[in-house]
Amino acid sequence: CEATWAQIEWSDVCCCLSLQGYFFNANNPYRDAPSAFAEGQEKAREGDLNAAVLLLEAAILQDPQDSEAWQVLGTTQAENENEQAAIVSLQRCLELRPNNLPALMALAVSFTNSGMQRDACDALRRWISHNPRYKHLAVDGRSPSELQEVLLLFQEAALLNLDCVDPDLQTGLGVLFNLGSDFNRAVEAFSAALSVRPQDYLLWNRLGATLANGDRSEEAVEAYGRALELQPGFIRSRYNLGISCINLGAHREAVSNFLTALNQQRQSQRCSHQQMSANIWAALRIAVSMLDRPELFQAASAGDLDLLMQVFDVGDV
Amino acid sequence: MATPSDQNVEFVRTGYGKNTVKVLVIRREGRHHFIIELKADVEITLKSRKDYLTGDNSDIIPTDTIKNTVHALAKLKGVKTIEQFSLDICLHFLTSFNHVLRAKVYMEEAPWRRLEKNGVEHAHAFIYSPEACRFCDVEQNLNGIPVVHSGVKNMTVLKTTQSGFEGFHRDRFTTLQETKDRCFCTSVYARWRYNKSHDIDFDAAWKCVKETIIEKFAGPYDRGEFSPSVQKTLYEAQVLALDRIPEVDEIEIVMPNQHYITIDMTKMGLTNKDEVLLALDNPSGNITGTVRRKQQAKL
């Protein structure tokens, strides 16, 4: 195990542990916990995302070659609205296990959210080429993936499913249509996936985000509502809900939602300087700026969560 | 001991530090030397205000120490980009002490350009080339995520045609004549914010924004691109910059309009066809705009 420990650097200027771009929480109380991975998965299922992250990080520190731990850490960080951490984790997973389909799909989604179209298409192409059901469709030695090419590939694959719906394939289609700004078709794809998996809160959020980006904000709010009913700790969906509130002019509701999300992130463990999502703070600042209360904007800029929670009457969940 | 006037006063904000800390960092790879010269303003805010209130200095990290810290970190961490170095400085002050609340760094890079002739680079000689000034600022609160801005300033460009100004609002105080063809000279200031602090190629991003602004200003090299106003050109540069760099969330550009006026030579019996112009020192127009990426919902 010495070779892998050498890669984990302990910076002598500050106390940060990092491994090829993933920055671990410094004072992890679960550091030496046995069965950290199993517990991490359980916490993620319960919606306690911050605790899940800490447990999964512990599992990885105990065994940096655990590709499944990297995968779950990646998807959990995405749910926790920490896209960069998600991308790095999923990439580490795929280095260890290049054919991990859930990791490839999750990575494509994260790249899409980050505006990295080419990388998203590449991940989706790899998803097809490693998928036992569809890999015969992928031509080897293809040049860098173009959106239209990969879309065609997924549509060909969909034709193979005449009497059933493959929700994962439909998710890929939904992502591709999002990349091409064809929001109506993306909505159809995610709806098809939901018909097979109506309890999948990730799918409800993806449907909502697609509706929102296609300017159908009211319908988006409904979809996010379904996601949050199924998983109240789903930080990303609550962030999205806040964004839609801004778009609908409901600025107070937007602020409320962002504060709830930030508080949920903070509550779990107060030991890291990276717990709360930068995105959510940025969105909160925007929502607060629209309320025309300069003293609150000052509090938002300084990161004073307690004061804002008091003013907007956001209690502990 | 509280004096009566203390009761009528409360703190809005405090901070102190060292300005204009200048260093030149040399990296030697055999005979080939790399340099970066920078100028830094560093400010920290402490948890306690007792230094201001009672003259108790026990918490103060002297500004001399702050200066030494910049020097030492340049040696310990090296300086790859001013943005990364600024991040390193902020992180140091927030994690090496338990009484620092906030750290802010503003940094400028000296525009040294390696000497080159006929495609051959000099190993260790440079010339000062101030065609644009590169700067950045990083701010980070304790338990918070650093916010990084980069910028370019004092980039002065001029074009002699493909600029006009018509159809503006007129009132009794308006004397400006409409024009379809004028000189357009400006000294660009642009500052943009990134949406993360890790994994960004700061050099590439800065180069891209600088080139995008010049591209929108100048247009194609053979015929240029018409500018109906400074506002339009400014906005187009912003939209293109955001499009090209997904890591940038928001960009502010300020373009003064440095006026050149055709000199009326009729009293000298000469017809000056916009050939000899007077550079107006003051006043100058000042056009500003800030745009940000629309909030996208996350799949």
Side-chain angles (χ1 to χ4, degrees):
Chain A
C1 216
E2 257 140 56
T4 48
W5 279 116
Q7 295 171 288
I8 299 181
E9 308 151 6
W10 181 272
S11 163
D12 40 42
V13 178
C14 73
C15 45
C16 298
L17 280 172
S18 74
L19 173 58
Q20 289 169 275
Y22 187 89
F23 286 76
F24 294 89
N25 285 287
N27 304 309
N28 193 337
Y30 304 113
R31 183 78 174 71
D32 298 310
S35 59
F37 176 64
E39 277 185 46
Q41 271 189 312
E42 189 47 42
K43 286 286 179 189
R45 251 175 257 130
E46 287 169 17
D48 188 350
L49 299 181
N50 254 48
V53 165
L54 288 167
L55 283 156
L56 294 163
E57 285 186 2
I60 288 168
L61 287 170
Q62 290 167 21
D63 177 11
Q65 311 283 68
D66 186 349
S67 69
E68 208 188 346
W70 280 114
Q71 176 204 318
V72 182
L73 179 60
T75 54
T76 306
Q77 285 286 38
E79 288 177 43
N80 201 21
E81 194 43 50
N82 275 329
E83 203 83 79
Q84 267 317 106
I87 289 177
V88 175
S89 306
L90 294 166
Q91 285 174 325
R92 292 295 84 77
C93 164
L94 288 164
E95 274 167 23
L96 294 163
R97 262 287 201 81
N99 61 352
N100 185 323
L101 296 179
L104 282 166
M105 187 57 70
L107 188 59
V109 170
S110 286
F111 279 139
T112 302
N113 287 334
S114 307
M116 295 160 75
Q117 178 166 308
R118 196 119 43 97
D119 295 288
C121 289
D122 184 63
L124 287 169
R125 189 185 46 77
R126 280 150 68 192
W127 188 89
I128 291 271
S129 68
H130 286 300
N131 191 315
R133 201 177 155 85
Y134 310 116
K135 64 185 187 189
H136 63 281
L137 295 170
V139 176
D140 278 289
R142 258 245 153 101
S143 56
S145 321
E146 294 298 324
L147 177 57
Q148 288 313 315
E149 287 173 14
V150 182
L151 186 53
L152 221 59
L153 206 52
F154 268 76
Q155 284 167 325
E156 274 174 34
L159 289 173
L160 295 174
N161 302 330
L162 288 171
D163 53 351
C164 64
V165 169
D166 178 350
D168 294 314
L169 186 71
Q170 291 298 320
T171 299
L173 277 167
V175 173
L176 287 161
F177 285 129
N178 258 288
L179 282 167
S181 299
D182 192 344
F183 297 113
N184 291 331
R185 286 223 179 84
V187 166
E188 280 170 28
F190 287 124
S191 302
L194 276 164
S195 67
V196 177
R197 288 207 223 124
Q199 306 296 309
D200 186 338
Y201 56 82
L202 292 178
L203 280 174
W204 279 110
N205 178 65
R206 289 177 179 152
L207 176 64
T210 305
L211 287 161
N213 291 334
D215 279 325
R216 290 158 70 172
S217 292
E218 278 124 352
E219 295 169 83
V221 168
E222 274 176 43
Y224 297 140
R226 297 295 300 270
L228 287 165
E229 252 173 50
L230 290 161
Q231 179 53 285
F234 192 0
I235 301 282
R236 165 154 284 176
S237 208
R238 194 166 292 280
Y239 164 78
N240 281 342
L241 179 56
I243 303 282
S244 281
C245 286
I246 294 179
N247 292 335
L248 289 167
H251 302 125
R252 277 198 79 96
E253 281 75 10
V255 171
S256 228
N257 277 302
F258 296 135
L259 290 174
T260 303
L262 287 168
N263 188 40
Q264 281 176 314
Q265 287 191 318
R266 177 176 70 164
Q267 263 187 337
S268 196
Q269 293 291 340
R270 293 166 181 270
C271 63
S272 156
H273 69 271
Q274 290 178 347
Q275 304 157 295
M276 290 185 278
S277 181
N279 265 10
I280 304 181
W281 274 109
L284 174 63
R285 279 193 290 270
I286 290 174
V288 170
S289 74
M290 289 168 159
L291 291 172
D292 201 24
R293 301 265 301 269
E295 76 283 11
L296 296 180
F297 186 72
Q298 172 82 323
S301 298
D304 193 341
L305 187 55
D306 288 314
L307 185 135
L308 291 164
M309 278 175 63
Q310 213 176 6
V311 170
F312 287 93
D313 207 20
V314 173
D316 281 339
V317 166
Chain B
M1 181 152 86
T3 59
S5 53
D6 268 19
Q7 289 154 21
N8 298 327
V9 166
E10 61 185 14
F11 282 102
V12 176
R13 124 181 29 94
T14 56
Y16 78 95
K18 197 71 130 188
N19 280 0
T20 324
V21 181
K22 287 171 83 157
V23 286
L24 169 70
V25 184
I26 305 173
R27 186 167 57 86
R28 298 173 178 84
E29 279 180 19
R31 278 216 294 249
H32 206 78
H33 294 180
F34 298 85
I35 61 168
I36 180 164
E37 180 174 6
L38 56 94
K39 181 169 72 170
D41 295 344
V42 179
E43 183 186 296
I44 57 177
T45 300
L46 303 180
K47 280 186 186 168
S48 150
R49 266 85 182 255
K50 62 191 184 192
D51 42 348
Y52 293 85
L53 282 167
T54 66
D56 178 346
N57 293 338
S58 50
D59 270 359
I60 301 183
I61 302 153
T63 66
D64 189 66
T65 306
I66 296 178
K67 169 206 56 153
N68 289 345
T69 305
V70 175
H71 296 171
L73 288 175
K75 157 76 186 148
L76 287 169
K77 304 281 294 180
V79 180
K80 187 171 174 295
T81 61
I82 51 173
E83 290 83 359
Q84 188 54 54
F85 190 44
S86 301
L87 283 162
D88 293 339
I89 294 172
C90 282
L91 190 62
H92 170 85
F93 282 105
L94 290 170
T95 56
S96 308
F97 308 90
N98 55 18
H99 64 289
V100 176
L101 212 50
R102 189 182 67 189
K104 282 184 358 175
V105 177
Y106 170 80
M107 206 177 285
E108 278 179 19
E109 182 178 336
W112 290 110
R113 184 168 56 80
R114 187 181 296 278
L115 282 179
E116 186 201 302
K117 192 152 93 167
N118 301 328
V120 180
E121 288 187 335
H122 198 290
H124 56 253
F126 306 82
I127 183 164
Y128 199 79
S129 315
E131 66 174 33
C133 172
R134 177 172 170 178
F135 69 91
C136 75
D137 58 81
V138 174
E139 187 174 332
Q140 187 175 5
N141 293 319
L142 187 61
N143 297 325
I145 296 186
V147 179
V148 183
H149 288 86
S150 290
V152 60
K153 63 180 185 177
N154 303 334
M155 184 166 73
T156 308
V157 285
L158 174 151
K159 62 183 188 178
T160 54
T161 185
Q162 288 286 46
S163 169
F165 193 51
E166 311 176 89
F168 47 85
H169 192 80
R170 306 197 79 91
D171 73 348
R172 61 191 161 121
F173 300 130
T174 307
T175 58
L176 184 68
Q177 298 298 306
E178 295 196 340
T179 175
K180 287 179 164 40
D181 191 9
R182 64 174 182 175
C183 275
F184 177 5
C185 173
T186 182
S187 187
V188 182
Y189 169 92
R191 178 174 175 261
W192 55 95
R193 191 187 70 225
Y194 298 99
N195 58 20
K196 54 178 175 159
S197 54
H198 295 310
D199 253 331
I200 297 189
D201 187 342
F202 292 114
D203 286 332
W206 188 83
K207 188 158 175 281
C208 184
V209 177
K210 176 187 176 232
E211 285 173 356
T212 299
I213 294 172
I214 292 176
E215 187 184 318
K216 271 293 134 190
F217 173 82
Y221 276 39
D222 52 347
R223 60 191 183 282
E225 186 180 316
F226 185 71
S227 163
S229 65
V230 178
Q231 284 87 333
K232 183 74 164 47
T233 301
L234 187 152
Y235 177 71
E236 286 187 355
Q238 291 174 318
V239 170
L240 194 51
L242 284 180
D243 191 56
R244 285 178 172 168
I245 315 171
E247 295 92 351
V248 172
D249 251 1
E250 184 177 295
I251 178 165
E252 173 194 8
I253 297 185
V254 177
M255 284 186 176
N257 193 353
Q258 285 160 348
H259 309 295
Y260 284 83
I261 312 292
T262 300
I263 301 169
D264 181 357
M265 298 183 181
T266 52
K267 295 203 172 94
M268 300 190 281
L270 297 167
T271 314
N272 182 8
K273 297 186 206 149
D274 295 328
E275 295 155 285
V276 183
L277 299 94
L278 189 69
L280 227 54
D281 197 36
N282 67 80
S284 73
N286 202 52
I287 317 301
T288 74
T290 305
V291 296
R292 68 171 169 236
R293 205 177 284 285
K294 258 203 203 149
Q295 298 284 87
Q296 287 284 88
K298 306 285 178 174
L299 292 172

